[in-house]
Structure formats: structure tokens, C-alpha cells
Amino acid sequence: MSGGRARTERLTMAQALVRFLAAQHVERDGVEQPFFAGCFGIFGHGNVAGVGQALHERPDLLTYYLARNEQAMVHTACGFARMRGRLATFACTSSVGPGATNMVTAAALATVNRLPVLLLPGDVFASRRPDPVLQQLETPWRGESSVNDAFQPVSRYWDRISRPEQLVPAALAAMRVLTSQAETGAVTLALPEDVQVEAYDYPVEFLESRAWHVGRPLPDAAALDRAGALIRSARRPLLIAGGGVLYSEAGQALDVLVTRTGIPVAETQAGKGSLPWDHPLNLGAVGASGGLAANRLAAEADLVLGVGTRWSDFVTASRTAFQAEGVRFINLNVAGFDAAKLSGLALTGDARATLAELDRRLEGWAVAPEYRERAGRLREEWQQEVTRLCRLGHRPLPAQSEVLGAVNELAGPRDVVVCAAGSLPGDLHKLWRTRDPRGYHVEYGYSTMGYEIAGGLGVKLADPSREVFVLVGDGSFLMLAQEIVTSLQEDLKLTVVLVDNQGFASIGALSRSLGTAGFGTRYLRRTGGSLPDDSQTGGEPLPVDLAAAAAGLGAHVIRAESVDGLRDALIAARTVERTVVIEVKTDRYESVPTYESWWDVPVAEISGTPAVREARRRYEQAARARRWYLK
Ligand SMILES: Cc1ncc(C[n+]2csc(CCOP(=O)(O)OP(=O)(O)O)c2C)c(N)n1
Ligand SMILES: [Mg+2]
């Protein structure tokens, strides 16, 4: 307002925060939507009287969701944000101390995966008067410190609101980061419990509706021209589609470009679904968990165009995937940080808008017909291998690949599969046939055991019209299964397929391949002073019944005895209205192979164990394929 005094409203800091959050919107391509779908929380001292009071008083502003574990509630927010293309999320409120630090792991997950979540951990008194309070960790040499400092390295923006008026700049800074496609991740505003309840005259403009524009920035024209020229000069170009394709909703633009030019496409975990699985140019998974078609062409490619990928070791097969002499990279990414990787030509911009620009620059150009045919043949061969693995008929216990095959077959085209850690993600990356850009949701940036059920709940919350199939290993289930209770509270049905192979099959196989005999990866009783490894047969199983545990949490439980039993269970689950857990036991030693790829896991240089020495020899040999990619 010009002239007179600015209008203000007297509110506590927590009340102003809730008002502010409810007023935030994002707008992309002319479509506007609220940014916060609600607030997850678990109350204790540090949020019950401040943020809790503000939420209780104004349920019309932000819906409150009670979760069972703080880490899990942030997983739910992440699942939601990813499903909504990063254009909406949740705030998450916790008490001080353990409630707060429970969120640190999930904050890292959000930041690694570049997913917006707003964390509001309660904090100790800014006044310091009652110190040390319950759950306060004191630092003898630093008064201005609390456990919430642990969020700093895992957040993209962090602040502690020590005075009520500080909320104004901090909240705006938080929103800028949360809605930035290049910078987004966990944002932490630590809220001292005394400041939450302090009143201040907040400017009305701060509380009013605000829309944050999510743009589609383009790289500069010179970079686009250079990229166009580089692609035109390539003979064996390969495009690698990462998560950025999906966040930018660039599938259509990608389809247009590659269909016209014939450039084959390989998918990362985060980018799976960029094209439907049966698109003639979709070679499928690439990298350490990739398939034969994509990995063969990656090894030969003279130009690799990465779109929205951060080039993790799984994508580059620990920098061994691209073997052609002088291979060049073009990195199209909204984050300059990622665009600069592998000495690539950086195209810093939005995937959809930039792919359209590239298409214009490639007018009249296409790959040679022989290359297109070769890609098509490899694709065919790979799809036959996928079919074989999904119908293995392994006895007496089925192989995991058959379980995936059955779920994939019975899931609808718009349904979503959710997973995160263990041997399932690699198998899903290779075998799952994705039909919808939002149909494949595997958290493999942080690969967090325990994400599956909580993350799946977020996916369902984001789009209740789709069935959500959560695939979870027994190990992950044991870590965090309790959000089944939250799914009942919210009447959000999940179909959880619990793949029980009696322990850590993935790490067990890795351990065996490294000469350490699956040490510490099975669920057996300690005998003779040690935990049995895979060199010992037998062993006494622990009397654990995970299906019974799921039933105890209130889920509808079905025990499937075979792949046919699983099919029946999946069909029966369709008509159950609450969360279903289908337990299926699989053979932990029957795994999907790797396809001409490598993952760098270092092996001891010196060991008294022959198997480790042999593994070291293989390691040194495989490591010779590592490349720097400096040009
Ligand atoms: C929180 C967390 N701790 C440890 C790991 C390392 N890790 C990766 S997979 C795995 C075992 C997973 O077991 P399970 O869920 O049963 O899946 P399986 O390997 O049997 O397929 C472990 C311990 C991890 N990814 N996340
Ligand atoms: Mg397991």
C-alpha cells in the first residue's frame, strides 16, 4: 500500500506459517494449483502447542495427517511430490529431538531425488531459559546449536526461526527453493518452540495468495546450435532418458524427436516410463541394472544425449557403460550442476522446451537405416529375454522375476508400481513393462529400505484413481511397515506384495560375488558364536511371520503359495477395500543376471580368503574398463 501504514494481522508465528503455506500456489503452462496438499505430523513438545494449535484452529487451511513414524511421513510426502511432478507436496511437522532427527534420512532421500518437501522440526527454546529441555542435545562450546543442525547437509535450504518476524524472509526463501526445478529438495525450517507461540503483526501481503511460476527455460541459442551440429555428425547416437523427462512432461516431445530422427532411447530408473515399453525406439533399462539392448548400444555409442539424468553410477555402470573412443556427451538438464557432468556439452534448460528446439535443429536429419535396424533387432532380442524371465517356472519356490511378471500382467495400464531397495529395483528396472509415464515409481536415488509402503501411500494420496502396487522385500518391510495403519486411517488402499526370501537376497548375492559368502544377510538363529553364512547349509530359521505382522496392523492378508496363487490373490485383492498385503515366498538364490555391465564395489586388496582374492582379481580386471570422460 502506498502512503498509509501497511496493514498487518496479529498472529503467532505458527499461525502465520499455516496461513502462509495454505496461500502458496504454483503455476506452470498456465495451470495453477495449491502447492501444499496438507501437513503430516507427529506431535510432541516442540510442535503440539505451536504448529499443533495453529493446525487445530484452522483445519480449513491445511488438512492434518497423523503418521506413525517421522521418517515415513516424509517418505509419503516424497511419494506424493514425485507423483505430482514436483508441483505439489506436504509440510511435515515434528517435535524436538528424536521426532526431528527421524526425518533426517528422508530429507536426504528428498534432496538426492530432487523432490520438494518442507520439514518443520520443532526446536529447543530460542530464549534458552529452561535449558536443557527434554530431548535437547547440548553442545558445550556452542549455544546456538541443536540436533536440527543435522538437517543442513541434507537440505537445499535451511533456517532457524529465532524471531517471529524472521518467518517472512525465511518462508519466501523456502518457497523459492521448493518450486525451483533446478534446486528443489528438502527444505528445513527449524521452529523453536517458544517462538512458534509468540505473536507478531504480520504484513497482510505476506499472508495473501501467491503463485510461483515454474518456467520452461531454454539453453542459449549457441549451445543449441552446437548440440544440433554434434548430433548431426554422430553415427551411433543414444539418448538416455532420466527423471527430468517425466518431471518436465516431455514424453511427447521426446517421442516426436526420436521417431523422426531414429535416435534410440534408453531409460534410467527415474526415467523409466519416458516412452511406453513397446515404443519401437525404447531399448529399455541402461546401466548397471540395465538390459542387453541398451547396454550394447551404450558401449558403442559415439554420442550420448542425456536428458534429465544426474549420471549416477548405476546409469554409467560406474563409468564403464560408454566405451567408444572419443565418445561425447550432451547433457540436457534444468540444473546446471548436472548439465556440466561427464565433460558434456551443457544444455541447461527444461527438457520439453529444449527437445522441441533440438528437433527444429535436426530437421531433415536421421540416423542411418542400418543403425535403426540394429537397435530394433536388439530391442526384440531383449524383449524375448524379458518374457523368458517373467515365465521362468522355477520350482519349488518361484523366482522373483516371475512374481514381477505376474504383478505386471495383472496391473492396469495406469496403475503404479512402487519400490525402493533390495533386489527388486534392479529386476523391475530390467523387466517391468511401463505403459504410463507415472506408472513406475522406484526410489533409486537414495534406495532407502522402508520407503516402499510409506512412499506408496504418498502415490495413492496423489492419485487415488490408480491402483498402487507396492513391491517390498522382507528386509524393507521389517524396517518400516507401520504406515499400513495410516493407509487404514485415510482409507487409501494399497496392494502390497511382500516378497519374502528370508533376508537380504541382494546384499547376499553381492557378498557372495565379492568372496564374503553372504555373511550377515540371512535370518537365522546365531549358532556356535556366529551368524551362519551361505557356506553353511541348514541353520535354524527365526519364528517370524511377516504376514501375521501385517494382519496385526490391520491389513487384509493373503498368503500366496505359488505364482498361480499370487495371480489369484491379485485378482481377489481387487475387490478388497482396504490395504491388502500378499505374502509370497521366493527362492533367494534365483536372481536375474546382469547384462554386460558392472557396478564398482571395491574388494579388499589383501585377504587370507581365497574367494576374496579371486574377487579382487576380477575387480581389478573389470575396473580397467573405467573411463574418465574428459572430452
Ligand atoms: C535404510 C537402508 N539400510 C541399508 C541398506 C542396504 N541394503 C540394500 S538392499 C538391503 C537388503 C534388502 O533386503 P530385502 O528388503 O529383503 O530385499 P532383498 O535384498 O531380499 O531383495 C540392504 C541391507 C539400504 N539400502 N537402506
Ligand atoms: Mg529379502
Side-chain angles (χ1 to χ4, degrees), residues 473-475 499-506 523 588:
D474 50 287
V499 181
D500 188 353
N501 51 27
Q502 296 84 52
F504 304 163
S506 54
Y523 297 161
R588 69 185 259 115

Side-chain angles (χ1 to χ4, degrees), residues 81-307:
R82 175 164 165 182
M83 193 64 188
R84 289 284 182 90
R86 309 198 288 207
L87 299 176
T89 188
F90 279 87
C92 295
T93 168
S94 82
S95 54
V96 302
T101 50
N102 263 358
M103 297 198 290
V104 173
T105 294
L109 183 159
T111 295
V112 169
N113 287 284
R114 287 92 196 272
L115 293 168
V117 289
L118 176 61
L119 308 181
L120 304 171
D123 213 327
V124 297
F125 286 63
S127 74
R128 317 267 196 270
R129 285 197 62 167
D131 283 11
V133 299
L134 178 71
Q135 302 170 320
Q136 177 169 353
L137 186 152
E138 296 171 276
T139 305
W141 58 270
R142 186 168 176 231
E144 207 281 306
S145 129
S146 85
V147 294
N148 287 336
D149 293 359
F151 285 96
Q152 287 176 14
V154 293
S155 297
R156 298 310 298 268
Y157 181 78
W158 184 97
D159 204 354
R160 179 179 281 126
I161 314 297
S162 307
R163 299 172 60 92
E165 64 268 41
Q166 193 191 332
L167 178 66
V168 175
L172 293 169
M175 281 306 300
R176 185 194 70 77
V177 173
L178 286 168
T179 58
S180 157
Q181 298 300 289
E183 288 181 54
T184 197
V187 165
T188 304
L189 297 181
L191 307 177
E193 56 181 299
D194 51 348
V195 185
Q196 285 179 42
V197 302
E198 268 176 50
Y200 182 75
D201 295 312
Y202 285 94
V204 167
E205 284 92 339
F206 173 66
L207 307 167
E208 279 169 357
S209 179
R210 193 178 291 264
W212 299 80
H213 174 65
V214 176
R216 295 193 176 276
L218 281 174
D220 70 60
L224 279 165
D225 290 344
R226 276 204 302 278
L230 202 54
I231 297 171
R232 281 173 182 274
S233 70
R235 294 180 48 224
R236 294 179 307 278
L238 175 68
L239 190 147
I240 295 194
V245 173
L246 299 172
Y247 292 129
S248 163
E249 298 184 323
Q252 179 75 32
L254 177 65
D255 188 356
V256 168
L257 176 91
V258 301
T259 301
R260 209 183 48 67
T261 60
I263 302 175
V265 177
E267 293 176 327
T268 73
Q269 279 278 13
K272 196 167 157 81
S274 293
L275 293 176
W277 75 275
D278 54 356
H279 189 288
L281 286 154
N282 188 351
L283 302 176
V286 72
S289 54
L292 203 57
N295 283 349
R296 282 263 168 93
L297 283 199
E300 299 167 11
D302 59 353
L303 177 73
V304 183
L305 171 56
V307 184

Side-chain angles (χ1 to χ4, degrees), residues 1 3-8 203-205:
M1 277 174 30
R5 279 170 22 146
R7 287 180 302 132
T8 60
V204 167
E205 284 92 339

Side-chain angles (χ1 to χ4, degrees), residues 301-573:
D302 59 353
L303 177 73
V304 183
L305 171 56
V307 184
T309 172
R310 62 191 188 92
W311 295 118
S312 81
D313 64 345
F314 262 75
V315 178
T316 67
S318 302
R319 304 208 173 201
T320 64
F322 312 106
Q323 287 292 327
E325 191 61 38
V327 56
R328 294 289 319 263
F329 295 85
I330 297 174
N331 303 319
L332 164 49
N333 206 297
V334 72
F337 175 73
D338 293 310
K341 288 175 178 174
L342 307 182
S343 317
L345 194 171
L347 293 180
T348 308
D350 169 70
R352 190 167 101 184
T354 308
L355 284 172
E357 282 296 315
L358 272 181
D359 191 47
R360 285 204 307 114
R361 281 166 173 80
L362 294 174
E363 236 171 70
W365 177 87
V367 303
E370 306 83 69
Y371 183 62
R372 202 173 181 139
E373 276 155 31
R374 174 159 161 70
R377 269 198 313 279
L378 283 169
R379 194 189 162 276
E380 279 298 307
E381 279 170 41
W382 171 240
Q383 283 306 326
Q384 281 166 21
E385 173 71 349
V386 171
T387 304
R388 182 186 74 82
L389 288 160
C390 291
R391 298 190 190 144
L392 217 49
H394 190 71
R395 298 277 184 283
L397 287 177
Q400 183 166 281
S401 59
E402 303 169 72
V403 168
L404 300 195
V407 178
N408 202 172
E409 195 184 299
L410 288 167
R414 290 184 72 251
D415 294 347
V416 189
V417 64
V418 180
C419 194
S423 57
L424 282 160
D427 291 4
L428 283 166
H429 191 204
K430 291 186 194 94
L431 307 180
W432 191 265
R433 288 172 164 164
T434 308
R435 289 167 282 180
D436 182 281
R438 295 261 158 88
Y440 184 87
H441 186 118
V442 175
E443 188 282 289
Y444 213 62
Y446 208 45
S447 188
T448 311
M449 288 173 76
Y451 175 80
E452 298 87 348
I453 292 172
L457 182 63
V459 171
K460 185 72 179 174
L461 199 48
D463 188 351
S465 75
R466 303 186 195 228
E467 293 298 328
V468 175
F469 292 90
V470 174
L471 291 183
V472 59
D474 50 287
S476 274
F477 185 88
L478 277 170
M479 272 201 196
L480 286 177
Q482 72 297 316
E483 298 313 306
I484 286 174
V485 177
T486 308
S487 80
L488 303 178
Q489 165 190 293
E490 299 302 328
D491 202 12
L492 291 167
K493 179 194 170 186
L494 303 174
T495 303
V496 179
V497 178
L498 166 56
V499 181
D500 188 353
N501 51 27
Q502 296 84 52
F504 304 163
S506 54
I507 307 299
L510 183 61
S511 163
R512 288 195 300 281
S513 77
L514 305 176
T516 49
F519 173 54
T521 62
R522 298 165 77 195
Y523 297 161
L524 296 171
R525 195 185 290 277
R526 185 178 292 279
T527 46
S530 62
L531 290 172
D533 65 26
D534 282 323
S535 64
Q536 292 135 281
T537 50
E540 192 187 333
L542 305 174
V544 177
D545 184 343
L546 297 181
L553 295 178
H556 177 100
V557 169
I558 309 175
R559 295 175 196 260
E561 302 293 340
S562 62
V563 177
D564 284 339
L566 171 62
R567 285 201 182 86
D568 293 343
L570 287 163
I571 291 164

